[in-house]
Amino acid sequence: KAARFEEALPLLEKQARSAADPRQKARATLQAGACYAALKNWPKAERAFHDVELFCDDEALRPVALARLADLYDKTNRPDQAASARSELKRRFPDWK
């Protein structure tokens, strides 16, 4: 909240690695991805969002990861990938937002 992304990242990465609860691990990974995106470290943000979307079993977090991927693709001027991610989001999670 205080936009201290560099300080938050080590804590979030540690939590993502060590959390026993898969949902807690996925939340920390999403938050780390958001920090990377705020710092414009696009490859690491993309990896974090992909990891949640592909490997997380929580159906509440997977659409969030897909939406963040679509936004990241927009920000990095990849409109085809953004459209694909949004299409996948609508197909797999039609009731999401």
Side-chain angles (χ1 to χ4, degrees), residues 42 65-77 82 85-86:
W42 307 123
L66 265 173
R68 290 187 182 177
L69 271 172
D71 291 343
L72 180 142
Y73 294 142
D74 281 335
K75 289 177 184 172
T76 57
N77 199 28
R86 286 193 178 93

Side-chain angles (χ1 to χ4, degrees), residues 7-89:
E7 293 176 34
L9 272 168
L11 300 172
L12 292 167
E13 289 173 336
K14 181 180 178 184
Q15 186 178 17
R17 282 190 310 272
S18 64
D21 176 34
R23 184 175 171 89
Q24 186 179 19
K25 182 179 199 127
R27 283 181 183 263
T29 302
L30 274 176
Q31 291 172 336
C35 288
Y36 283 125
L39 295 169
K40 296 187 170 126
N41 186 334
W42 307 123
K44 286 191 176 186
E46 183 176 9
R47 178 83 257 148
F49 299 148
H50 265 293
D51 284 352
V52 173
E53 196 277 320
L54 293 173
F55 303 118
C56 175
D57 290 333
D58 189 317
E59 292 299 306
L61 295 178
R62 292 177 88 185
V64 174
L66 265 173
R68 290 187 182 177
L69 271 172
D71 291 343
L72 180 142
Y73 294 142
D74 281 335
K75 289 177 184 172
T76 57
N77 199 28
R78 296 187 274 174
D80 291 344
Q81 287 177 288
S84 178
R86 286 193 178 93
S87 175
E88 185 70 9
L89 179 62

